[in-house]
Amino acid sequence: EEEPTLAAIVEAAAQNVIFIASLYRDFDGGVLTAMKKVTLLKPLEKGSYKVESVISARLDNFSIFTFKLSQDDEVFVEGQMSIVMNARKEKLK
């Protein structure tokens, strides 16, 4: 019910990436370590948005992602984030 903040957008994008990576890789959670070049392209309003993240670089458990926030094919925010994933103690079966 509130207008989203840039911090909330980056956190949502990071949680999404960490969750997906934990499902399909040998990781169990992770930590957002940096936000970079986060740009507000258009004013944000209340509503539903789509967050898309793409891996830009990866070294072991450290990854850099580009992300964008859009609504009806209009991009409102774009930027980069770094995430360090936690190694899973036991492999998924």
Side-chain angles (χ1 to χ4, degrees), residues 12-54:
Q15 287 181 16
N16 185 325
V17 167
I18 290 167
F19 176 74
I20 298 297
S22 294
L23 286 176
Y24 297 104
R25 297 232 174 227
D26 295 330
F27 302 122
D28 188 17
V31 176
L32 173 65
T33 58
M35 301 180 289
K36 233 173 124 177
K37 300 178 185 175
V38 178
T39 306
L40 178 64
L41 303 171
K42 295 181 181 195
L44 297 169
E45 299 176 1
K46 296 177 185 178
S48 297
Y49 294 89
K50 179 169 89 172
V51 177
E52 295 178 65
S53 302
V54 176

